[in-house]
Amino acid sequence: MNAIHDAACLVAGEWLTGGAHTDRIGPYLREPVSRARTAQLADITAALAYAARSAKAVARLAPATRAGILERAAALVTERGERLATLLALELGKPLKDGRGEIVRVADTLSVAAAEARMIGGEVLPVAGWARGVGNTAITQRAPAGPVLAITPFNAPANLLAHKLAASFAAGNTTIVKPPPQAPAVSTALVELLLDAGMPVEAVQVLHGGGDVGARLCAAPEVAVVSFTGGVTAGHAVARAAGPKRVLLELGGNAATIVCEDADVAAAARACARTGYSNSGQSCISVQRVYVHSSRFEEFADALTTEVKALVVGDPLDPATDVGSMVDDAAAERVVTWTAEAAGQGARVTTGGMRTGAVMAPTVVAGPPAEARVVREEVFGALVAVLPYDGFDEVLEECNRSSYGLQAGLFTHDIRRIVTAWRELEVGGLIVNGSSNFRLDHVPFGGVKDSGIGRESPRWMIEDFTVTKTLMLKGLTIWGER
């Protein structure tokens, strides 16, 4: 039996361990792997009051001080990376190779946030360009917005926590973290690491719990900004609870990748196999729909199936494993059900379609109808649907039929198609000669439609975690008096 990793709540500078707890059952090991202390109403009240009191103390830290702390934290992540990756494997069934990749990104994200902290400033506005502005000077600065609530998801709990917490701290805010119930230990471990790197206790608190905890925090007047990553239904609930405050939502996707007739089909199949099943497909930009020109459809479907069958499925703690388990049995059963539905509607299941516990066999569904759930809804699992198309304009319209619009992929060497797709696809990002499932943590990331509001990555998050303050100097000018 593995040791059970405790995840305490951090409230007003103190780690709270007593009281009610919730065990996390590892989806692959099928035994308790972590235990989270459940936040109580008194904890929430205390955390909100402390956040309001400590906001100014964090805001007074010089950007260079904040940056130095984040840089030290990045170095500590590298030192402790194996432990963090192991916690991801235990709590989520995420293969070690995926977990190690996530931890590398955590270190990068912290480093990027440190660099962006050093760049926070303002500007001198050209007020003298208009007659009423002559003789005056206006200067702006980016000031901390106030306490931030960071609600993080289970699929990339370490890196998405790093994005939210590091950007909030870089901007000079205090942050309340509400981790996912499925990954309390790795979330707590990352906060502990940041404190070890020198982050002041005033800068962060951690409250474990379910949607009730999140709802109370969202509605609290002490919170200035809510940053949420998760599902559409939960995101809408967050927005309703938050009311008239700044809300950033990253809500998922139904990512399409287009393979044109001039594409390198073998390379496209390898990329889609590699990125369609990493983390068992539990990524908002995971390859879900692949539209292949009808002249290359069978070639691609065969190549993808061959690549998928070669993936190693099993123990997430085995470094050779490519596909571990999904987050729980119910998630895997949903993918099995949707696969069977598509098959009943005339699709071919070329591999997979079954599960063992929470381990979903990597599944390829060829030729499902356009209205099948594996096409229209977010699968968020180890399944890729492959569909033929004839015309490029037609396939762009089909991609846009989705209510989501996060990212898309495009395999082609035709610059006209690239520019047309970039212009016409209703998505936040387009990956050319790569699948939808690619992200650089220092590049803006976010979507349109049901995929959310705002952009993640430190620079763009800092903009949302700060407010513009203007200083108007009447009768004092640097621009000229007439």
Side-chain angles (χ1 to χ4, degrees):
M1 173 138 178
N2 286 275
I4 297 178
H5 300 269
D6 288 319
C9 288
L10 176 59
V11 178
E14 295 185 15
W15 288 104
L16 306 179
T17 56
H21 289 74
T22 302
D23 284 352
R24 169 61 180 165
I25 306 299
Y28 184 84
L29 292 178
R30 311 185 80 73
E31 62 185 40
V33 293
S34 60
R35 177 171 296 135
R37 195 257 191 199
T38 306
Q40 305 300 305
L41 179 59
D43 303 327
I44 296 170
T45 301
L48 290 167
Y50 185 73
R53 293 196 307 271
S54 61
K56 288 186 177 179
V58 181
R60 291 190 188 106
L61 291 175
T65 301
R66 300 174 211 153
I69 291 167
L70 292 169
E71 286 167 346
R72 289 193 293 276
L76 280 179
V77 166
T78 301
E79 291 178 15
R80 302 181 187 179
E82 197 63 16
R83 175 175 182 262
L84 295 170
T86 299
L87 287 174
L88 289 169
L90 292 172
E91 290 193 305
L92 300 169
K94 178 177 285 192
L96 272 180
K97 61 173 64 175
D98 287 345
R100 288 166 177 165
E102 180 175 346
I103 300 309
V104 168
R105 291 179 60 188
V106 169
D108 285 349
T109 298
L110 295 174
S111 296
V112 171
E116 294 297 339
R118 300 184 189 280
M119 301 297 291
I120 297 173
E123 60 180 319
V124 179
L125 301 178
V127 294
W130 284 262
R132 291 187 64 243
V134 174
N136 304 294
T137 297
I139 307 170
T140 67
Q141 65 157 312
R142 302 295 301 187
V148 171
L149 171 61
I151 304 178
T152 53
F154 73 80
N155 60 315
N159 192 38
L160 294 180
L161 173 56
H163 272 279
K164 297 179 191 300
L165 180 52
S168 175
F169 180 65
N173 297 307
T174 185
T175 308
I176 298 174
V177 175
K178 213 295 283 183
Q182 302 92 337
V186 71
S187 304
T188 303
L190 185 55
V191 172
E192 290 173 339
L193 181 151
L194 283 156
L195 293 171
D196 290 345
M199 181 176 281
V201 293
E202 294 88 351
V204 62
Q205 300 180 86
V206 180
L207 294 173
H208 297 288
D212 56 331
V213 174
R216 288 183 179 277
L217 291 169
C218 286
E222 294 89 346
V223 171
V225 185
V226 178
S227 180
F228 170 85
T229 302
V232 171
T233 301
H236 291 177
V238 164
R240 288 193 299 270
K245 57 169 64 86
R246 193 173 299 187
V247 178
L248 311 173
L249 303 173
E250 199 277 274
L251 302 181
N254 175 11
T257 293
I258 302 169
V259 180
C260 296
E261 61 265 40
D262 67 328
D264 182 334
V265 165
R270 283 194 299 272
C272 290
R274 186 176 66 252
T275 57
Y277 304 92
S278 58
N279 197 23
S280 291
Q282 297 169 126
S283 168
C284 51
I285 52 175
S286 185
V287 181
Q288 178 174 331
R289 299 178 288 157
V290 183
Y291 292 95
V292 185
H293 191 270
S294 55
S295 65
R296 312 293 299 275
F297 176 75
E298 292 298 341
E299 178 187 358
F300 178 88
D302 289 345
L304 178 64
T305 300
T306 298
E307 294 286 346
V308 171
K309 286 180 177 179
L311 295 173
V312 178
V313 182
D315 186 352
L317 291 169
D318 184 344
T321 296
D322 297 305
V323 180
S325 66
M326 294 186 64
V327 68
D328 54 37
D329 289 16
E333 181 59 28
R334 173 176 49 79
V335 181
V336 170
T337 299
W338 289 11
T339 302
E341 284 181 3
Q345 295 167 321
R348 289 182 291 133
V349 180
T350 63
T351 188
M354 71 289 294
R355 70 178 178 97
T356 302
V359 178
M360 180 69 201
T363 300
V364 176
V365 178
E371 300 307 321
R373 286 204 280 186
V374 297
V375 178
R376 286 286 151 247
E377 300 186 29
E378 182 178 28
V379 173
F380 213 69
L383 180 150
V384 173
V386 186
L387 303 98
Y389 77 90
D390 292 316
F392 194 65
D393 291 341
E394 161 204 323
V395 76
L396 296 181
E397 290 180 6
E398 186 61 27
C399 290
N400 287 340
R401 285 186 65 200
S402 174
S403 62
Y404 295 99
L406 191 48
Q407 283 197 168
L410 174 64
F411 286 90
T412 185
H413 300 290
D414 186 333
I415 189 63
R416 292 169 298 184
R417 286 176 177 153
I418 294 169
V419 173
T420 298
W422 188 29
R423 181 183 67 238
E424 298 296 334
L425 284 174
E426 297 168 356
V427 293
L430 174 63
I431 312 302
V432 176
N433 289 322
S435 80
S436 61
N437 194 358
F438 181 75
R439 179 181 178 184
L440 296 175
D441 292 291
H442 56 287
V443 171
F445 177 81
V448 297
K449 301 192 286 188
D450 278 350
S451 286
I453 302 169
R455 292 295 179 267
E456 293 199 342
S457 296
R459 172 183 159 189
W460 287 267
M461 297 182 82
I462 286 170
E463 291 183 3
D464 285 317
F465 291 159
T466 55
V467 294
T468 299
K469 297 182 71 174
T470 303
L471 176 65
M472 182 70 73
L473 302 172
K474 293 280 291 178
L476 181 64
T477 180
I478 61 173
W479 296 109
E481 298 179 358
R482 298 194 197 77

